Amino acid sequence: MGNGGRSGLQQGKGNVDGVAATPTAASASCQYRCIECNQEAKELYRDYNHGVLKITICKSCQKPVDKYIEYDPVIILINAILCKAQAYRHILFNTQINIHGKLCIFCLLCEAYLRWWQLQDSNQNTAPDDLIRYAKEWDFYRMFAIAALEQTAYFIGIFTFLWVERPMTAKKKSNFILLLKALLLSSYGKLLLIPAVIWEHDYTPLCLKLIKVFVLTSNFQAIRVTLNINRKLSFLAVLSGLLLESIMVYFFQSMEWDVGSDCAIYKSQDS
């Protein structure tokens, strides 16, 4: 998910007499968040002379604003996988990560390739013409477009629900952009499809459903942390996104398009 703000932060031995502290980790235009109480903070730590660094204490909860700046990135990743709100606040508010777009494209490519492979594998005809058609790239591009449209419908469903339920929050441009980045970043669970691409795609329906549940859980936590709303609204937002995504899938199926969905593939393999 990303590196911590200052991994391996040095522990200071105390304040240096007669030396003023300078907040090197903040600027006037940048606001951080306390990972415990979600209150805004102007800095994460203070840098004193002689390399003495001290983590800032939150004025609201009297706890360190961000303890994860001392943690190794692997520990942060593990906490994010466990869907801890503190880890999500650290990643979303207190770090500068600009891989949202690249991560989204990469996940869509993995999903499109898996669907494309399942679509071709479900066709048992081995005629030369079919082998030539199998080698065409058009089916892969179509799977990529369908996967992108389904994800877009999912996001639109989430934003539409939040727009109706939380108009004052959802209509803010800053919140909209931050939530979009949070949703893209929290969809990293789709990277678990990579083993399916590498190791002959030997995934059972249960594994694919577990990956889906993990991604939805991460999205749920990202919505709750980003907008600071309760679990009920976050759950309903994810449910609204799933509903619109399902409508999109139903539309594709009614148009008799091969969407490469798991259910269709496994049904064809069982028949």
Side-chain angles (χ1 to χ4, degrees):
M1 295 276 289
N3 293 336
R6 288 266 306 186
S7 299
L9 184 65
Q10 297 180 7
Q11 298 292 332
K13 297 181 180 179
N15 295 345
V16 180
D17 295 334
V19 179
T22 57
T24 60
S27 63
S29 61
C30 181
Q31 293 291 326
Y32 299 100
R33 295 286 184 90
C34 174
I35 65 172
E36 301 294 340
C37 63
N38 202 42
Q39 292 296 317
E40 290 187 351
K42 293 184 179 180
E43 58 187 4
L44 301 179
Y45 61 90
R46 288 200 170 203
D47 188 358
Y48 296 84
N49 287 344
H50 308 293
V52 180
L53 304 177
K54 184 179 180 181
I55 297 179
T56 304
I57 301 298
C58 177
K59 296 179 180 179
S60 178
C61 64
Q62 301 302 316
K63 294 182 179 180
V65 171
D66 193 343
K67 63 182 180 181
Y68 285 111
I69 61 176
E70 292 187 295
Y71 286 23
D72 189 88
V74 176
I75 303 299
I76 300 174
L77 178 61
I78 292 174
N79 281 266
I81 292 175
L82 296 175
C83 290
K84 290 189 176 182
Q86 294 88 344
Y88 271 78
R89 290 191 183 103
H90 166 78
I91 294 170
L92 296 176
F93 298 124
N94 300 338
T95 59
Q96 295 181 354
I97 299 178
N98 298 315
I99 62 171
H100 310 85
K102 295 179 181 179
L103 180 63
C104 176
I105 296 298
F106 189 68
C107 290
L108 287 175
L109 285 173
C110 291
E111 187 173 354
Y113 181 77
L114 183 61
R115 292 184 179 201
W116 176 80
W117 183 88
Q118 290 176 326
L119 180 64
Q120 306 302 329
D121 189 62
S122 63
N123 188 355
Q124 301 299 327
N125 194 340
T126 57
D129 293 340
D130 291 332
L131 292 177
I132 294 175
R133 181 173 61 84
Y134 179 88
K136 290 183 177 180
E137 298 180 359
W138 171 249
D139 284 338
F140 174 77
Y141 296 144
R142 183 162 57 89
M143 291 297 104
F144 180 86
I146 290 174
L149 288 174
E150 290 179 5
Q151 179 167 292
T152 301
Y154 172 69
F155 287 166
I156 290 176
I158 291 176
F159 282 105
T160 301
F161 174 82
L162 294 173
W163 184 282
V164 174
E165 291 295 325
R166 304 275 294 190
M168 296 302 296
T169 302
K171 289 182 180 180
K172 291 182 179 180
K173 183 179 179 180
S174 58
N175 287 343
F176 176 85
I177 296 176
L178 182 60
L179 181 57
L180 179 60
K181 290 181 178 180
L183 288 172
L184 293 175
L185 196 60
S186 62
S187 298
Y188 70 96
K190 291 183 179 180
L191 296 178
L192 294 174
L193 294 172
I194 293 178
V197 176
I198 298 176
W199 293 309
E200 300 298 328
H201 325 285
D202 190 16
Y203 268 38
T204 64
L206 178 60
C207 291
L208 294 174
K209 289 179 180 179
L210 288 176
I211 293 175
K212 182 70 173 179
V213 170
F214 177 73
V215 172
L216 294 177
T217 303
S218 299
N219 293 156
F220 162 83
Q221 191 71 307
I223 296 171
R224 189 172 75 89
V225 167
T226 303
L227 299 181
N228 197 26
I229 59 179
N230 57 47
R231 290 182 174 87
K232 180 180 178 181
L233 284 178
S234 299
F235 175 77
L236 292 177
V238 171
L239 197 61
S240 300
L242 274 178
L243 179 60
L244 192 57
E245 182 184 6
S246 300
I247 293 174
M248 181 70 72
V249 173
Y250 178 78
F251 170 76
F252 289 147
Q253 292 176 345
S254 64
M255 296 292 291
E256 296 184 352
W257 290 3
D258 293 321
V259 299
S261 61
D262 303 333
C263 296
I265 294 299
Y266 288 110
K267 284 181 180 178
S268 64
Q269 289 178 348
D270 294 336
S271 59

